Amino acid sequence: MNLKHASSKSCFQEILSKIDTFLFDCDGVLWQGNHAVLGAPAVVSHLHNIGKRVCYVTNNSTKSRIKYVEKLLRLGFPADKDSVFSTAYTSALYLKHIAKIKGKVYLVGNPAMVEELDNFGIQHFGSGPDNQVTSQDFDEVRSCILENDVSAVLVGYDGHISYTKMIKAASYLSDPECIYIATNEDHRMPLDGERHVVPGTGCVVASITTSAGRQPDVIAGKPGSFMLECIKQTVQINHNRCMMVGDRMNTDILFGNRNGLDTLLVLSGVENQESLDRAAGSKDADLKSQVPKYFMGSIGDWENFVQ
Amino acid sequence: MNLKHASSKSCFQEILSKIDTFLFDCDGVLWQGNHAVLGAPAVVSHLHNIGKRVCYVTNNSTKSRIKYVEKLLRLGFPADKDSVFSTAYTSALYLKHIAKIKGKVYLVGNPAMVEELDNFGIQHFGSGPDNQVTSQDFDEVRSCILENDVSAVLVGYDGHISYTKMIKAASYLSDPECIYIATNEDHRMPLDGERHVVPGTGCVVASITTSAGRQPDVIAGKPGSFMLECIKQTVQINHNRCMMVGDRMNTDILFGNRNGLDTLLVLSGVENQESLDRAAGSKDADLKSQVPKYFMGSIGDWENFVQ
């Protein structure tokens, strides 16, 4: 097993010597809610100041790139628009430049996704509350008006998810030519030490996937490899000298491992020592593919070495 | 391959000679929406009149047993309460007599499920619209008040499914002692020849399962074997002389095959000749387990033999 603890100064220096580009996940790595992880701004600023390329790579679809830059700067991280890769942006990029979509997009999403689709001049509809139909009665279901010329259904985080939206998405997706794109499939986030759970975009996507009887054609976020394609359109990356830093094994670390990047897991978010040990000790191929090369408690563990 | 076409008189007589108990699925077998399948009432009445035991076994959770009896009688089928096994009833039965539940049930469901839980004197809450929280913001999620003493989460068809309900269900289910029971996982029903799709209970269940990070502990409906336990509490069944008649292979037929019953697929609902041929010709073990012993276009194909 290759798993290395990365908190020591020697390991930090080893990583600095072989990595040019750091891809940071945000929630759980750089911040928790509205608070920066202790020491994280100092560490990331140092990396930036000594000439490392720093990118922010997040599955979160509820903020546009501009909103991300504002939050990063407010919390003390170096940032500009070209350093941010969020799924509201990458899904719009996919629809415009890869799918070269002509018709409209039915959006099960949120205002940040509206903003990014607008930025690309993509026609869309569906955002906001929609709760017309609450029964499986055939006549009521038929009362949902379906628009014509819908070329794609885009699903991200939607706090207004409803049965009506499931009907509409599934109906559009019954046309096999209609593209099904999801921002990400992150499941859930337990609130530390509390009973409350924050369901992720994956619960919205799961409801649409089941209704539609189709898996997404493409996932705009991690662990999908399209996310790396997006980054490479803006940033030159040498895969051998690039590291993904994340808090979630089945997205961040899997994404890094699949794409030949170095990987560092921090235990300040979704995973803990127990879940890491379980993956590291498992013989299951899926779980083994999620084991990082390095791990440490938090990115702030390096703070003493950068002052 | 054993697949036999059941429309002929000789095959009908063969089936009559070896079957004492017929378990009929309802939607897509006996009726479509509010209309009886042509000839179905005459056929089922005949079976009843010549002394066969007729039961109605449905995954639909949106009607109580009493409402089912009313609909069956209205459309011309012989029925009483003891002949109806619907999942609003069986899930309440499970909670009361198998789980012997003490605390409250958080219900992601509908009025029929409320009625059946009330019939068993089970404390419950959660039915109806609930859309307090529409963002993943930690403070907003925390503003969902969680009740104490919740022993089970019951999920069935809920036309008011919302992000708030996902938060609550997932939070209650973060306690491993809390039972997770689902009425059924039926996916969807395309409306014949139309673009509209009717999403099934499975889309509601999928959203909760993903949020909770747990599979249901028990499925009250087909293909789960608890449904057969319920029937056997009321009806004496000789498995060798019992036939499940259904329109859906991954629920009705799988249920029959798993439990050693004869199986008859009708093509008047979810499945068609193409999906049947695909399963019959497949080498996949899952699909093969869903191939019926008999099939025919509709239960009404027997009408001429019963007049």
Side-chain angles (χ1 to χ4, degrees):
Chain A
M1 193 178 68
N2 294 323
L3 193 55
K4 282 179 79 167
H5 205 296
S7 289
S8 69
K9 186 162 188 175
S10 63
C11 194
F12 178 55
Q13 284 168 337
E14 172 192 321
I15 289 171
L16 284 187
S17 73
K18 63 175 187 172
I19 299 297
D20 297 328
T21 305
F22 289 86
L23 309 180
F24 285 103
D25 179 48
C26 298
D27 298 274
V29 175
L30 304 182
W31 58 67
Q32 289 147 338
N34 286 314
H35 304 281
V37 165
L38 201 70
V43 170
V44 177
S45 297
H46 176 79
L47 294 174
H48 178 256
N49 292 340
I50 63 174
K52 303 296 182 188
R53 170 79 78 160
V54 170
C55 296
Y56 305 100
V57 181
T58 170
N59 276 356
N60 192 315
S61 64
T62 66
K63 284 193 187 69
S64 64
R65 286 200 296 169
I66 288 171
K67 284 281 186 301
Y68 260 106
V69 170
E70 287 171 12
K71 178 162 184 175
L72 284 158
L73 293 175
R74 190 170 67 245
L75 295 181
F77 297 98
D80 59 30
K81 216 170 75 171
D82 283 346
S83 63
V84 174
F85 301 88
S86 59
T87 54
Y89 165 69
T90 55
S91 53
L93 183 75
Y94 179 87
L95 289 169
K96 184 72 176 186
H97 292 305
I98 309 295
K100 295 183 181 6
I101 200 165
K102 293 282 190 298
K104 287 173 281 188
V105 173
Y106 177 61
L107 174 62
V108 180
N110 59 66
M113 297 171 77
V114 167
E115 186 180 331
E116 295 288 12
L117 288 172
D118 287 344
N119 286 343
F120 280 96
I122 297 171
Q123 266 191 287
H124 62 87
F125 66 102
S127 179
D130 186 356
N131 212 16
Q132 304 163 42
V133 174
T134 58
S135 101
Q136 293 177 306
D137 179 87
F138 288 0
D139 289 335
E140 272 195 57
V141 170
R142 279 194 195 97
S143 75
C144 271
I145 293 175
L146 298 178
E147 297 207 16
N148 290 318
D149 205 19
V150 174
S151 308
V153 172
L154 169 57
V155 181
Y157 175 75
D158 188 340
H160 298 288
I161 182 65
S162 67
Y163 189 61
T164 305
K165 294 191 177 200
M166 295 175 200
I167 293 171
K168 290 185 177 176
S171 300
Y172 292 126
L173 290 171
S174 66
D175 173 2
E177 299 290 306
C178 185
I179 298 169
Y180 178 15
I181 171 170
T183 57
N184 64 296
E185 299 186 297
D186 295 16
H187 292 182
R188 61 201 286 267
M189 191 182 292
L191 284 174
D192 240 14
E194 300 184 35
R195 286 171 76 196
H196 282 92
V197 170
V198 184
T201 301
C203 66
V204 179
V205 173
S207 69
I208 303 294
T209 294
T210 305
S211 314
R214 283 173 62 173
Q215 293 294 320
D217 297 310
V218 67
I219 307 283
K222 300 165 282 185
S225 52
F226 174 67
M227 183 58 107
L228 195 66
E229 293 304 309
C230 291
I231 299 170
K232 283 155 72 178
Q233 287 190 10
T234 313
V235 182
Q236 277 220 329
I237 289 182
N238 177 345
H239 284 218
N240 297 324
R241 297 185 61 80
C242 179
M243 173 177 264
M244 178 71 217
V245 185
D247 72 320
R248 197 184 274 268
M249 288 189 290
N250 67 358
T251 54
D252 301 321
I253 304 305
L254 182 58
F255 169 79
N257 286 345
R258 272 187 186 167
N259 289 293
L261 315 179
D262 258 329
T263 49
L264 167 60
L265 179 75
V266 292
L267 303 179
S268 51
V270 168
E271 312 290 355
N272 53 30
Q273 191 70 49
E274 192 189 332
S275 61
L276 172 60
D277 289 345
R278 196 180 319 122
S282 170
K283 289 195 166 64
D284 177 79
D286 274 353
L287 270 179
K288 284 208 91 62
S289 65
Q290 300 174 18
V291 177
K293 181 153 185 188
Y294 300 94
F295 78 101
M296 60 189 200
S298 128
I299 199 71
D301 292 358
W302 285 341
E303 191 183 11
N304 285 332
F305 316 140
V306 304
Q307 280 170 337
Chain B
M1 193 179 67
N2 294 324
L3 194 54
K4 282 178 78 167
H5 204 295
S7 289
S8 69
K9 187 162 189 177
S10 63
C11 194
F12 178 54
Q13 284 167 337
E14 172 192 321
I15 288 171
L16 284 187
S17 73
K18 63 176 188 173
I19 299 297
D20 297 329
T21 304
F22 289 86
L23 309 179
F24 285 103
D25 180 48
C26 298
D27 298 274
V29 175
L30 305 182
W31 59 66
Q32 288 147 338
N34 286 314
H35 304 283
V37 167
L38 201 68
V43 170
V44 177
S45 297
H46 176 79
L47 294 174
H48 178 256
N49 292 340
I50 63 174
K52 303 297 182 188
R53 170 80 79 162
V54 170
C55 296
Y56 305 100
V57 181
T58 170
N59 277 356
N60 193 316
S61 64
T62 66
K63 283 192 188 68
S64 64
R65 284 200 298 168
I66 288 170
K67 285 279 186 300
Y68 260 107
V69 170
E70 287 171 12
K71 179 163 183 173
L72 284 158
L73 294 175
R74 190 169 68 242
L75 295 182
F77 297 97
D80 60 29
K81 215 171 75 172
D82 283 347
S83 63
V84 173
F85 300 89
S86 58
T87 54
Y89 166 69
T90 56
S91 53
L93 184 75
Y94 179 87
L95 290 168
K96 185 71 177 188
H97 292 304
I98 309 295
K100 294 184 179 13
I101 198 164
K102 292 281 191 299
K104 285 173 282 188
V105 173
Y106 177 62
L107 174 61
V108 180
N110 58 66
M113 298 170 76
V114 168
E115 187 180 331
E116 295 288 12
L117 288 172
D118 286 345
N119 286 343
F120 281 95
I122 297 170
Q123 265 192 288
H124 61 87
F125 66 101
S127 179
D130 185 357
N131 212 17
Q132 304 163 42
V133 174
T134 59
S135 101
Q136 293 177 305
D137 180 86
F138 288 180
D139 289 335
E140 272 195 57
V141 170
R142 278 193 195 97
S143 76
C144 272
I145 293 174
L146 297 178
E147 298 207 15
N148 290 319
D149 204 20
V150 174
S151 308
V153 172
L154 168 57
V155 182
Y157 175 75
D158 188 339
H160 297 289
I161 181 65
S162 67
Y163 188 61
T164 304
K165 294 191 178 200
M166 296 175 199
I167 293 171
K168 291 184 178 176
S171 300
Y172 293 126
L173 290 171
S174 68
D175 173 2
E177 299 291 306
C178 185
I179 297 170
Y180 177 15
I181 171 169
T183 58
N184 65 295
E185 299 186 297
D186 297 15
H187 291 181
R188 62 201 285 267
M189 191 183 291
L191 284 174
D192 239 14
E194 301 182 35
R195 287 170 76 195
H196 282 92
V197 170
V198 184
T201 302
C203 67
V204 179
V205 173
S207 70
I208 303 296
T209 295
T210 305
S211 312
R214 282 174 63 172
Q215 292 295 320
D217 297 311
V218 67
I219 307 284
K222 299 163 287 184
S225 53
F226 175 67
M227 182 59 105
L228 194 65
E229 294 304 311
C230 291
I231 299 170
K232 282 156 71 177
Q233 287 191 11
T234 313
V235 182
Q236 276 219 331
I237 288 182
N238 176 347
H239 284 219
N240 297 323
R241 297 185 61 82
C242 180
M243 174 177 264
M244 178 72 216
V245 184
D247 72 320
R248 197 185 274 268
M249 290 189 289
N250 68 357
T251 54
D252 302 319
I253 304 304
L254 182 60
F255 169 79
N257 287 345
R258 272 186 185 168
N259 290 293
L261 315 179
D262 258 330
T263 49
L264 166 60
L265 179 74
V266 292
L267 303 180
S268 51
V270 168
E271 312 291 353
N272 52 31
Q273 191 69 49
E274 193 190 331
S275 61
L276 173 59
D277 290 345
R278 197 181 317 121
S282 170
K283 290 197 166 63
D284 178 79
D286 275 353
L287 271 179
K288 284 206 94 59
S289 66
Q290 300 174 17
V291 178
K293 181 152 183 190
Y294 300 94
F295 79 102
M296 59 190 199
S298 128
I299 199 71
D301 293 359
W302 284 341
E303 192 184 10
N304 286 332
F305 316 140
V306 304
Q307 280 170 336

